[in-house]
Amino acid sequence: RHLLTDDDLVGVSVDRLHTSGGREYDPVTDKGVRTNFWDSINSTEANLKRIQALRQLFAARFPDQRSEEEMRAPRCDFNFRGFYSEFWWRAPFEGECRDARMGDRCYTMVRWGMKALIYSHPEYFPGLTRRSSFKEFQQLLYMQGRAACPYRPCGLLESRPNRTL
């Protein structure tokens, strides 16, 4: 075999999993259905275990190849929000727009995310950085279905994600 697939990592054919009513990941429960590989998808500990599983699988499949530690890191141009758009509860540019204003629960949640949580729990804000705008934080909270942010922000332009890796 000349490649590694999701089937190899998960331990079951994705087609077979879907045929039997399973699913790799359900964002509502944060678990798979009839598989557990992607459970706790934003957990640092669980993600480290998944990375280790991939490294072990790679080393077993390609014993003559250099390990990740032996290679220089490539430039990362992965578009997280574009790639994982199927897992968002709400489409980012659909629905009524209303900018969060001081005094709103959403405003408070966005400010807390920008000023505190992005530093202590960046995994809560996939695709955002410490330099992301207020509206980008509001949009993510809206997309995640946070009750405090029932409206998407106004004025953000829809970008077409690059789905190539």
Side-chain angles (χ1 to χ4, degrees):
R1 295 165 113 187
H2 297 289
L3 55 99
L4 296 175
T5 66
D6 286 343
D7 295 357
D8 297 321
L9 274 173
V10 175
V12 64
S13 160
V14 172
D15 290 336
R16 205 170 324 141
L17 180 66
H18 289 179
T19 301
S20 70
R23 185 172 176 189
E24 300 94 326
Y25 181 73
D26 178 351
V28 174
T29 62
D30 192 31
K31 294 181 179 186
V33 177
R34 298 190 178 169
T35 184
N36 63 3
F37 186 82
W38 294 109
D39 290 4
S40 303
I41 203 163
N42 290 316
S43 161
T44 299
E45 181 180 339
N47 284 325
L48 289 173
K49 288 179 182 178
R50 286 187 274 271
I51 290 169
Q52 186 59 34
L54 176 60
R55 286 179 175 156
Q56 290 172 347
L57 186 59
F58 183 89
R61 182 80 50 89
F62 306 106
D64 296 331
Q65 296 293 318
R66 291 184 290 168
S67 70
E68 179 182 4
E69 293 77 19
E70 298 170 310
M71 296 186 280
R72 192 176 51 162
R75 183 177 73 82
C76 181
D77 61 356
F78 180 65
N79 182 331
F80 185 96
R81 289 190 303 178
F83 187 80
Y84 287 109
S85 62
E86 68 188 89
F87 296 127
W88 297 127
W89 290 332
R90 294 187 180 131
F93 297 100
E94 294 178 6
E96 183 181 344
C97 77
R98 187 180 303 170
D99 291 331
R101 294 185 186 103
M102 191 178 293
D104 293 346
R105 286 179 43 216
C106 186
Y107 181 92
T108 302
M109 185 176 243
V110 169
R111 296 298 294 174
W112 184 37
M114 292 178 76
K115 300 300 179 189
L117 287 179
I118 191 72
Y119 295 92
S120 60
H121 292 283
E123 69 274 12
Y124 293 174
F125 305 97
L128 299 184
T129 70
R130 296 169 182 168
R131 291 182 292 282
S132 295
S133 71
F134 183 95
K135 287 187 179 204
E136 289 169 325
F137 272 84
Q138 181 184 344
Q139 182 182 47
L140 179 65
L141 294 172
Y142 165 76
M143 290 164 47
Q144 291 175 332
R146 304 291 179 186
C149 295
Y151 303 103
R152 66 181 180 86
C154 299
L156 279 181
L157 298 177
E158 183 172 1
S159 62
R160 297 291 173 205
N162 176 3
R163 292 185 178 261
T164 59
L165 296 179

